Amino acid sequence: MKNKLIKACVLIIIVLLVTGGSYLVWDVNRIGERIDSYKNVDVYHNGIMHTKSYGKHYSEDGYYYGQKCPAKSR
């Protein structure tokens, strides 16, 4: 009984690691993909790790699209 439980736990961990790794690889390949637009401004996929910086991005007229930081709780 104990041996079956250990095997089941190992199998679950392997499945979760493979699934999570596959999702991260898929997500990294989508970074920069146009996903929508708002008021004629394109919106791009930033990846699951939205706090990671992928470089500075400027519009054609020099406007810098910065990263909005979460508001600090007071």
Side-chain angles (χ1 to χ4, degrees):
M1 179 71 176
K2 185 177 180 182
N3 200 17
K4 286 184 180 182
L5 182 62
I6 292 173
K7 286 182 181 180
C9 288
V10 169
L11 180 64
I12 289 171
I13 290 170
I14 290 172
V15 168
L16 289 173
L17 287 173
V18 169
T19 304
S22 298
Y23 179 74
L24 287 175
V25 168
W26 171 78
D27 185 65
V28 167
N29 290 327
R30 290 189 59 214
I31 292 172
E33 176 183 318
R34 182 183 174 277
I35 57 173
D36 201 0
S37 66
Y38 178 72
K39 294 187 177 181
N40 211 21
V41 174
D42 291 337
V43 177
Y44 295 93
H45 181 66
N46 290 328
I48 191 168
M49 293 185 248
H50 60 276
T51 58
K52 181 178 178 183
S53 175
Y54 297 99
K56 294 183 177 181
H57 301 282
Y58 295 89
S59 68
E60 291 178 7
D61 63 356
Y63 180 81
Y64 172 63
Y65 300 103
Q67 178 181 354
K68 181 178 180 182
C69 298
K72 293 181 181 180
S73 57
R74 295 179 182 181

